[in-house]
PDB file of all heavy atoms in Angstrom:
ATOM      1  N   SER S  65     -60.937  -7.024 -44.736  1.00  0.00           N
ATOM      2  CA  SER S  65     -61.338  -8.372 -45.137  1.00  0.00           C
ATOM      3  C   SER S  65     -61.208  -8.555 -46.637  1.00  0.00           C
ATOM      4  O   SER S  65     -60.725  -9.585 -47.117  1.00  0.00           O
ATOM      5  CB  SER S  65     -62.781  -8.653 -44.691  1.00  0.00           C
ATOM      6  OG  SER S  65     -62.878  -8.696 -43.292  1.00  0.00           O
ATOM      7  N   GLN S  66     -61.642  -7.553 -47.402  1.00  0.00           N
ATOM      8  CA  GLN S  66     -61.546  -7.643 -48.853  1.00  0.00           C
ATOM      9  C   GLN S  66     -60.100  -7.792 -49.299  1.00  0.00           C
ATOM     10  O   GLN S  66     -59.770  -8.618 -50.155  1.00  0.00           O
ATOM     11  CB  GLN S  66     -62.152  -6.391 -49.495  1.00  0.00           C
ATOM     12  CG  GLN S  66     -63.648  -6.265 -49.340  1.00  0.00           C
ATOM     13  CD  GLN S  66     -64.148  -4.974 -49.948  1.00  0.00           C
ATOM     14  OE1 GLN S  66     -63.553  -4.447 -50.883  1.00  0.00           O
ATOM     15  NE2 GLN S  66     -65.224  -4.449 -49.424  1.00  0.00           N
ATOM     16  N   ALA S  67     -59.220  -6.983 -48.698  1.00  0.00           N
ATOM     17  CA  ALA S  67     -57.812  -7.031 -49.069  1.00  0.00           C
ATOM     18  C   ALA S  67     -57.206  -8.379 -48.735  1.00  0.00           C
ATOM     19  O   ALA S  67     -56.468  -8.963 -49.539  1.00  0.00           O
ATOM     20  CB  ALA S  67     -57.049  -5.908 -48.366  1.00  0.00           C
ATOM     21  N   PHE S  68     -57.523  -8.899 -47.553  1.00  0.00           N
ATOM     22  CA  PHE S  68     -56.954 -10.185 -47.148  1.00  0.00           C
ATOM     23  C   PHE S  68     -57.445 -11.306 -48.056  1.00  0.00           C
ATOM     24  O   PHE S  68     -56.656 -12.146 -48.494  1.00  0.00           O
ATOM     25  CB  PHE S  68     -57.306 -10.490 -45.696  1.00  0.00           C
ATOM     26  CG  PHE S  68     -56.746 -11.796 -45.215  1.00  0.00           C
ATOM     27  CD1 PHE S  68     -55.442 -11.873 -44.748  1.00  0.00           C
ATOM     28  CD2 PHE S  68     -57.499 -12.955 -45.251  1.00  0.00           C
ATOM     29  CE1 PHE S  68     -54.906 -13.078 -44.324  1.00  0.00           C
ATOM     30  CE2 PHE S  68     -56.976 -14.165 -44.841  1.00  0.00           C
ATOM     31  CZ  PHE S  68     -55.675 -14.225 -44.369  1.00  0.00           C
ATOM     32  N   ILE S  69     -58.751 -11.336 -48.337  1.00  0.00           N
ATOM     33  CA  ILE S  69     -59.303 -12.375 -49.203  1.00  0.00           C
ATOM     34  C   ILE S  69     -58.687 -12.283 -50.592  1.00  0.00           C
ATOM     35  O   ILE S  69     -58.320 -13.299 -51.206  1.00  0.00           O
ATOM     36  CB  ILE S  69     -60.846 -12.264 -49.278  1.00  0.00           C
ATOM     37  CG1 ILE S  69     -61.463 -12.579 -47.921  1.00  0.00           C
ATOM     38  CG2 ILE S  69     -61.401 -13.211 -50.337  1.00  0.00           C
ATOM     39  CD1 ILE S  69     -62.947 -12.281 -47.839  1.00  0.00           C
ATOM     40  N   GLY S  70     -58.562 -11.061 -51.088  1.00  0.00           N
ATOM     41  CA  GLY S  70     -57.969 -10.880 -52.416  1.00  0.00           C
ATOM     42  C   GLY S  70     -56.554 -11.417 -52.494  1.00  0.00           C
ATOM     43  O   GLY S  70     -56.184 -12.116 -53.446  1.00  0.00           O
ATOM     44  N   LYS S  71     -55.734 -11.110 -51.488  1.00  0.00           N
ATOM     45  CA  LYS S  71     -54.353 -11.596 -51.471  1.00  0.00           C
ATOM     46  C   LYS S  71     -54.309 -13.107 -51.278  1.00  0.00           C
ATOM     47  O   LYS S  71     -53.465 -13.789 -51.861  1.00  0.00           O
ATOM     48  CB  LYS S  71     -53.571 -10.892 -50.366  1.00  0.00           C
ATOM     49  CG  LYS S  71     -53.275  -9.427 -50.661  1.00  0.00           C
ATOM     50  CD  LYS S  71     -52.325  -8.827 -49.634  1.00  0.00           C
ATOM     51  CE  LYS S  71     -52.949  -8.756 -48.258  1.00  0.00           C
ATOM     52  NZ  LYS S  71     -52.048  -8.091 -47.284  1.00  0.00           N
ATOM     53  N   ALA S  72     -55.197 -13.634 -50.439  1.00  0.00           N
ATOM     54  CA  ALA S  72     -55.221 -15.074 -50.205  1.00  0.00           C
ATOM     55  C   ALA S  72     -55.497 -15.837 -51.495  1.00  0.00           C
ATOM     56  O   ALA S  72     -54.914 -16.896 -51.749  1.00  0.00           O
ATOM     57  CB  ALA S  72     -56.275 -15.415 -49.150  1.00  0.00           C
ATOM     58  N   VAL S  73     -56.381 -15.276 -52.326  1.00  0.00           N
ATOM     59  CA  VAL S  73     -56.741 -15.929 -53.583  1.00  0.00           C
ATOM     60  C   VAL S  73     -55.660 -15.734 -54.641  1.00  0.00           C
ATOM     61  O   VAL S  73     -55.189 -16.692 -55.261  1.00  0.00           O
ATOM     62  CB  VAL S  73     -58.097 -15.400 -54.090  1.00  0.00           C
ATOM     63  CG1 VAL S  73     -58.371 -15.900 -55.506  1.00  0.00           C
ATOM     64  CG2 VAL S  73     -59.221 -15.837 -53.160  1.00  0.00           C
ATOM     65  N   SER S  74     -55.247 -14.479 -54.848  1.00  0.00           N
ATOM     66  CA  SER S  74     -54.340 -14.191 -55.957  1.00  0.00           C
ATOM     67  C   SER S  74     -52.886 -14.522 -55.654  1.00  0.00           C
ATOM     68  O   SER S  74     -52.142 -14.936 -56.542  1.00  0.00           O
ATOM     69  CB  SER S  74     -54.450 -12.711 -56.348  1.00  0.00           C
ATOM     70  OG  SER S  74     -54.089 -11.875 -55.263  1.00  0.00           O
ATOM     71  N   GLU S  75     -52.456 -14.370 -54.394  1.00  0.00           N
ATOM     72  CA  GLU S  75     -51.053 -14.584 -54.067  1.00  0.00           C
ATOM     73  C   GLU S  75     -50.785 -15.971 -53.471  1.00  0.00           C
ATOM     74  O   GLU S  75     -49.738 -16.551 -53.715  1.00  0.00           O
ATOM     75  CB  GLU S  75     -50.577 -13.510 -53.087  1.00  0.00           C
ATOM     76  CG  GLU S  75     -50.620 -12.100 -53.666  1.00  0.00           C
ATOM     77  CD  GLU S  75     -50.189 -11.049 -52.655  1.00  0.00           C
ATOM     78  OE1 GLU S  75     -49.668 -11.438 -51.583  1.00  0.00           O
ATOM     79  OE2 GLU S  75     -50.380  -9.852 -52.935  1.00  0.00           O
ATOM     80  N   LEU S 578     -65.342 -16.655 -55.205  1.00  0.00           N
ATOM     81  CA  LEU S 578     -63.900 -16.885 -55.130  1.00  0.00           C
ATOM     82  C   LEU S 578     -63.556 -18.362 -55.006  1.00  0.00           C
ATOM     83  O   LEU S 578     -62.408 -18.713 -54.822  1.00  0.00           O
ATOM     84  CB  LEU S 578     -63.309 -16.129 -53.939  1.00  0.00           C
ATOM     85  CG  LEU S 578     -63.218 -14.619 -54.129  1.00  0.00           C
ATOM     86  CD1 LEU S 578     -62.843 -13.970 -52.810  1.00  0.00           C
ATOM     87  CD2 LEU S 578     -62.208 -14.265 -55.186  1.00  0.00           C
ATOM     88  N   ILE S 603     -60.511 -14.414 -60.952  1.00  0.00           N
ATOM     89  CA  ILE S 603     -60.559 -13.345 -59.963  1.00  0.00           C
ATOM     90  C   ILE S 603     -59.173 -12.720 -59.840  1.00  0.00           C
ATOM     91  O   ILE S 603     -58.176 -13.423 -59.666  1.00  0.00           O
ATOM     92  CB  ILE S 603     -60.993 -13.873 -58.591  1.00  0.00           C
ATOM     93  CG1 ILE S 603     -62.373 -14.530 -58.673  1.00  0.00           C
ATOM     94  CG2 ILE S 603     -60.984 -12.765 -57.550  1.00  0.00           C
ATOM     95  CD1 ILE S 603     -63.510 -13.581 -58.829  1.00  0.00           C
ATOM     96  N   VAL S 604     -59.089 -11.389 -59.951  1.00  0.00           N
ATOM     97  CA  VAL S 604     -57.822 -10.683 -59.777  1.00  0.00           C
ATOM     98  C   VAL S 604     -58.000  -9.589 -58.745  1.00  0.00           C
ATOM     99  O   VAL S 604     -59.110  -9.107 -58.509  1.00  0.00           O
ATOM    100  CB  VAL S 604     -57.310 -10.083 -61.110  1.00  0.00           C
ATOM    101  CG1 VAL S 604     -56.937 -11.164 -62.083  1.00  0.00           C
ATOM    102  CG2 VAL S 604     -58.352  -9.144 -61.707  1.00  0.00           C
ATOM    103  N   TRP S 605     -56.912  -9.198 -58.137  1.00  0.00           N
ATOM    104  CA  TRP S 605     -56.940  -8.243 -57.034  1.00  0.00           C
ATOM    105  C   TRP S 605     -56.163  -6.982 -57.391  1.00  0.00           C
ATOM    106  O   TRP S 605     -55.066  -7.048 -57.933  1.00  0.00           O
ATOM    107  CB  TRP S 605     -56.340  -8.881 -55.790  1.00  0.00           C
ATOM    108  CG  TRP S 605     -56.208  -7.944 -54.615  1.00  0.00           C
ATOM    109  CD1 TRP S 605     -55.080  -7.385 -54.111  1.00  0.00           C
ATOM    110  CD2 TRP S 605     -57.281  -7.438 -53.819  1.00  0.00           C
ATOM    111  NE1 TRP S 605     -55.367  -6.576 -53.047  1.00  0.00           N
ATOM    112  CE2 TRP S 605     -56.717  -6.588 -52.850  1.00  0.00           C
ATOM    113  CE3 TRP S 605     -58.663  -7.620 -53.841  1.00  0.00           C
ATOM    114  CZ2 TRP S 605     -57.487  -5.926 -51.904  1.00  0.00           C
ATOM    115  CZ3 TRP S 605     -59.417  -6.972 -52.895  1.00  0.00           C
ATOM    116  CH2 TRP S 605     -58.842  -6.134 -51.950  1.00  0.00           C
ATOM    117  N   TYR S 612     -61.386  -6.266 -56.119  1.00  0.00           N
ATOM    118  CA  TYR S 612     -61.076  -7.329 -57.054  1.00  0.00           C
ATOM    119  C   TYR S 612     -62.247  -7.558 -57.993  1.00  0.00           C
ATOM    120  O   TYR S 612     -63.367  -7.115 -57.753  1.00  0.00           O
ATOM    121  CB  TYR S 612     -60.701  -8.629 -56.325  1.00  0.00           C
ATOM    122  CG  TYR S 612     -61.629  -9.009 -55.198  1.00  0.00           C
ATOM    123  CD1 TYR S 612     -62.740  -9.798 -55.421  1.00  0.00           C
ATOM    124  CD2 TYR S 612     -61.377  -8.566 -53.897  1.00  0.00           C
ATOM    125  CE1 TYR S 612     -63.588 -10.138 -54.395  1.00  0.00           C
ATOM    126  CE2 TYR S 612     -62.221  -8.913 -52.857  1.00  0.00           C
ATOM    127  CZ  TYR S 612     -63.315  -9.699 -53.109  1.00  0.00           C
ATOM    128  OH  TYR S 612     -64.157 -10.038 -52.084  1.00  0.00           O
TER     129      TYR S 612
END
Side-chain angles (χ1 to χ4, degrees):
S65 294
Q66 292 177 28
F68 180 84
I69 293 171
K71 289 188 294 184
V73 171
S74 61
E75 296 178 11
L578 287 171
I603 301 287
V604 293
W605 175 253
Y612 47 90

